[in-house]
Each structure stands twice: as C-alpha cells, then as structure tokens.
Amino acid sequence: MTEIGYKLICEEHGPNDLVEYAQLADDSAFEFAMISDHYHPWTASQGEAPMVWNVIGAIAQATDDLRLGTGITCPISRVHPAVVAQAAATAAAMLPGRFFLGVGAGEQLNEHILGHRWPEHEVRLEMLAEAIEIIRTLWVGETTSYHGEYYTVENARLFTLPDDLPPIPIAADGPKAARFAGELGDGVVGVSPNSDLLETFADAGGEGPRYGEVTVCYDEDADAAVERAHEIWPIEGLPGELMWELSTPAHFEQATQTVTESEIAELIVCGDDPDDHVAAIEEYVDAGYDRVVVHQIGSNQAEFVEFYEENVLPSF
C-alpha cells in the first residue's frame, strides 16, 4: 500500500502559512507531511525561509494526527548534530509517535553561511555518519562525550526525550548515498523515480519506509500553472550536481536563466488533469517507493488539497 503525503515548502511560504497548510493536511486524506529545512530559498522569487524547528513546534500544537518529518535536515555544518539531537527530541516529544527526522548531506546554499569549507560529497557522508552517531547516542539520555574526526561533544545530556524515539530516514541522490542510507538509515528519501537507487539501498541492508518526492503545479488554467512553476520553481531544470554546489540564491537565478517554460512543462505536471497527477505519483510507486510526498507550487494550497482529495488520492 502506498501512502501519499503533503510537502510543506519553507522556501515558498512563511511560518504562519505553513502552520495553516499543515492543518489543511491534518484535516485531509493526506497521510503524512514532510517539511523542508532551509536557511535560504533556492531563488529570491520563492521568497521565504523560516526556521523549521519553530514552525514544527507550532504545527505540533495546531494538528492532532498529522505525521510529520523533516525533508531534509542537514546536521553537519550549519547546525551541530548535538543541537539537532535536542531539537528533534523536543519535536518528537511534542508530536508523540508522529515525528521522524529526515537527514542528508545538504546543499552549499544552506550550509556555507558560517564560513566553513564546503567538503566533497564523500567527506560530507563521513561527517553525516558521525552526526547520526552523536544524535542516536544523545537520544539514550545519558551524559555523553564524543571526540570524533569532525565533531566534539563534552558532557552533554538531553533531559527532554520522547517516549518513542523518531526514526531517521536518509536522503539519497545516487548510489553512494543509497548505500549509506541502507547501512545507517531507518528508511530512504529520494527525489526521482529511480528503482536502481532503491535496489542499492536494499542491497546494503536498508529497511523501512521509502519516501519519494514529486513536484506538481495544480491550477484550472494549465498555462497559468506552467507560468507559475517556471517563475517559482525553475530549479527543476538544473542538471547534474548544481543543486548541491551553488552557494547563493543569486547563483541559482543565474543558472536558471536559460530554463524555459516548455522545459518546465515537460518536467513538472501542470494543470488539472487528474490522470497526469496520478501518473506522476505512479512513476514513484512503480519504482518501489511506498510513501510519496507531493509538493504543490504556489499559494493555492487549499484548492490543491481539495482537488487531490476528490480526484487523485482515491486512486491510491
């Protein structure tokens, strides 16, 4: 059985709107939600980037049943893993049994802000392994000291802990990260319908949920949807590793200048044809994902939720 979730995008929406949209999801047929964790938006046209942990605390008070996870927190540079451990433990205590901590190796866009060197991917995975070890050790609730290659923790103890510790699925965009997720994660998070990635995850011993993320732009006017997707989310057209390596929204704006509306229309489902939206999700299901979170571009979130409840979610 496939669960369909709702994506809360901090790059597009302010904190109060995100809480409102989480309430919409809680009252809807969506079965879970994920929330992005960014210091910057990808481009200035997206316009927002609130502190995710503040928003999660508000969502905890504003919802009753919504399962919520970060998608994705990077605990290796901008925020020390000992602090992430405390933040996630508090979130799990406020969302008992319905919080998970999605982690990954991050993007330079968010992680360079303290002036640290941006390491190559292999080093970032080594840092992430240490970070996950620190988080899980602190979640035991005992006084902890840790002296690793990348991080130091001295006499730290978390006093606020949930009854049930949250799982830690790990983001993977290629075979190295998929193997890493299989070895250390409680699940995997991917952003493309790539069955090879999931096979690599499983071959490395990976178990647990397999989260996929699909981006759409619902609107009754398909042309308006394409225009909005192109204005707000042109990054869908960026090739290769640019998403992880560019350092500022201005760089992303420069890199996406050549991305056309027609290219975005090919990459993102735009409009109100239910079959197109169902087919986009089914690509992930066919690849082996059992949980698919849907990112709707734009402020018409209530209309999107209604459209999905009536026309898309029943297919799953």
Side-chain angles (χ1 to χ4, degrees):
M1 179 180 175
T2 302
E3 295 185 358
I4 309 301
Y6 176 84
K7 187 66 182 281
L8 296 158
I9 296 288
C10 289
E11 304 95 288
E12 289 184 48
H13 309 294
N16 295 330
D17 288 337
L18 290 165
V19 175
E20 178 186 338
Y21 300 154
Q23 290 175 307
L24 281 175
D26 191 34
D27 294 335
S28 77
F30 283 104
E31 296 183 80
F32 68 97
M34 297 182 76
I35 186 167
S36 57
D37 180 356
H38 270 239
Y39 196 90
H40 295 132
W42 299 99
T43 65
S45 63
Q46 293 171 356
E48 296 283 353
M51 178 58 158
V52 70
W53 300 107
N54 301 53
V55 179
I56 289 172
I59 290 172
Q61 297 304 298
T63 61
D64 297 316
D65 302 306
L66 187 67
R67 286 183 283 124
L68 178 66
T70 54
I72 294 294
T73 289
C74 176
I76 69 171
S77 181
R78 169 171 48 110
V79 184
H80 192 283
V83 179
V84 173
Q86 183 185 33
T90 300
M94 298 180 75
L95 291 154
R98 53 191 184 105
F99 176 75
F100 57 94
L101 176 65
V103 300
E107 309 94 14
Q108 185 165 200
L109 173 71
N110 300 302
E111 305 307 319
H112 79 278
I113 60 167
L114 301 181
H116 300 156
R117 184 181 70 85
W118 182 239
E120 62 182 337
H121 185 249
E122 184 173 344
V123 174
R124 299 204 308 273
L125 289 180
E126 292 173 0
M127 296 172 72
L128 184 58
E130 276 197 19
I132 292 170
E133 183 178 2
I134 289 168
I135 290 167
R136 287 182 168 144
T137 301
L138 285 167
W139 281 354
V140 174
E142 298 176 354
T143 300
T144 297
S145 292
Y146 182 96
H147 301 280
E149 183 176 353
Y150 301 103
Y151 304 106
T152 297
V153 177
E154 291 188 352
N155 299 317
R157 178 184 171 189
L158 294 181
F159 283 83
T160 297
L161 289 167
D163 292 334
D164 298 309
L165 295 175
I168 305 179
I170 298 174
D173 62 340
K176 287 184 180 179
R179 283 192 295 273
F180 181 92
E183 293 167 357
L184 295 182
D186 301 316
V188 65
V189 184
V191 294
S192 65
N194 186 340
S195 60
D196 291 340
L197 184 148
L198 296 183
E199 289 176 10
T200 301
F201 167 74
D203 290 344
E207 297 180 350
R210 299 177 297 280
Y211 294 93
E213 179 178 332
V214 60
T215 297
V216 303
C217 192
Y218 161 75
D219 197 289
E220 292 181 352
D221 184 333
D223 291 337
V226 172
E227 183 178 348
R228 185 168 74 244
H230 180 255
E231 176 188 356
I232 296 176
W233 212 255
I235 58 171
E236 195 76 10
L238 288 183
E241 299 178 1
L242 288 179
M243 293 288 285
W244 328 125
E245 300 299 332
L246 298 180
S247 61
T248 69
H251 290 156
F252 279 94
E253 289 157 18
Q254 293 167 20
T256 55
Q257 283 180 354
T258 59
V259 176
T260 65
E261 286 191 5
S262 60
E263 289 173 325
I264 290 299
E266 290 291 323
L267 295 167
I268 297 175
V269 170
C270 295
D272 65 348
D273 186 333
D275 292 340
D276 291 343
H277 288 263
V278 169
I281 295 171
E282 283 184 338
E283 280 193 70
Y284 285 80
V285 177
D286 292 344
Y289 289 92
D290 54 16
R291 301 184 186 183
V292 182
V293 63
V294 184
H295 161 211
Q296 158 68 4
I297 300 169
S299 60
N300 60 336
Q301 298 292 315
E303 293 84 356
F304 160 76
V305 169
E306 181 179 1
F307 169 75
Y308 260 60
E309 281 202 293
E310 293 180 358
N311 300 288
V312 179
L313 298 183
S315 296
F316 301 94

